[in-house]
Amino acid sequence: MITFRAMTTEEFPAYCDYFVVDYADEITANYGYLPEKSHAIALKSLNEDLPQNLSTPDHVLLCIELNEAETIGYLWYKFFDNGETVFILDFIIFEAFRRAGHGQVALIALEKYLLESGVGQIKLRVAYHNKRALRLYEKIGFNITGYNMVKTLERS
Ligand SMILES: CC(C)(COP(=O)(O)OP(=O)(O)OC[C@H]1O[C@@H](n2cnc3c(N)ncnc32)[C@H](O)[C@@H]1OP(=O)(O)O)[C@@H](O)C(=O)NCCC(=O)NCCS
C-alpha cells in the first residue's frame, strides 16, 4: 500500500542534498553547463522556491511510504491559482523500488487526494531525456503542452 506523510525537519536536509545533486545533473544534461555551475543554479533555485524550508506557504513536501513501513520516494508540489492548480516540482521513487508500479499508484493516489481537496489541474515539467517518466505521465492521462528548447551559442 502506498501512502504519503509530511516530510520531517530531520529529513529535510537530506532531501535538499538529494534534490540539488539530482537537479544539477539534469541541468548539466540539458544545458551542457559545467557541474559547478549546475550545482549553483540548482541550489539557488531550491533556496528561492523554499525560503521558509518546509514551512514555505503553498508548498507541500511529502515522503512516499510503502506499507507504512519504509520511505520509498519523495513528492514535492506547490499550489497556485488560488489552490485550483498544483505544480509538481519533484517526484522520485528510489531506484530499488522502481518498475513495480509504485510510481503510478502514487500519482493516482495524489490525483484522488487533490481532486477531493478542490484541485482541478496538475502541471509538471519533464526533462527531454526522461522517457520513463514521460511514459508514466502520458499513461495516466497527462498531455504534452509544449517543448522547452535551447541552443548554445559558440564564437567562431
Ligand atoms: C519516473 C519514476 C518516478 C517512475 O517510478 P516507478 O515506480 O518506477 O514507476 P512505475 O513502476 O509505476 O512505472 C515505471 C515502469 O515500470 C513498469 N512496471 C510497473 N509495474 C511493473 C512490474 N510489476 N514489473 C515490471 N515492470 C513494471 C511500468 O510499465 C513502467 O514501464 P515503462 O517505464 O517501460 O513504461 C522513477 O523512475 C523515478 O523516480 N525516476 C527518477 C526521478 C524522475 O525522473 N522523476 C520524474 C521527474 S519529472
Side-chain angles (χ1 to χ4, degrees), residues 18 22 26 90-95 97-105 124-127 130-133 135-137 139:
Y18 137 76
D22 190 65
E26 185 187 316
D90 190 29
F91 172 51
I92 181 170
I93 299 292
F94 302 150
E95 199 138 0
F97 298 95
R98 288 180 196 164
R99 300 191 66 85
H102 299 320
Q104 183 170 337
V105 170
L124 53 81
R125 184 189 162 278
V126 188
N130 198 347
K131 304 296 182 208
R132 175 162 297 164
R135 262 200 307 273
L136 173 56
Y137 294 133
K139 190 160 67 177

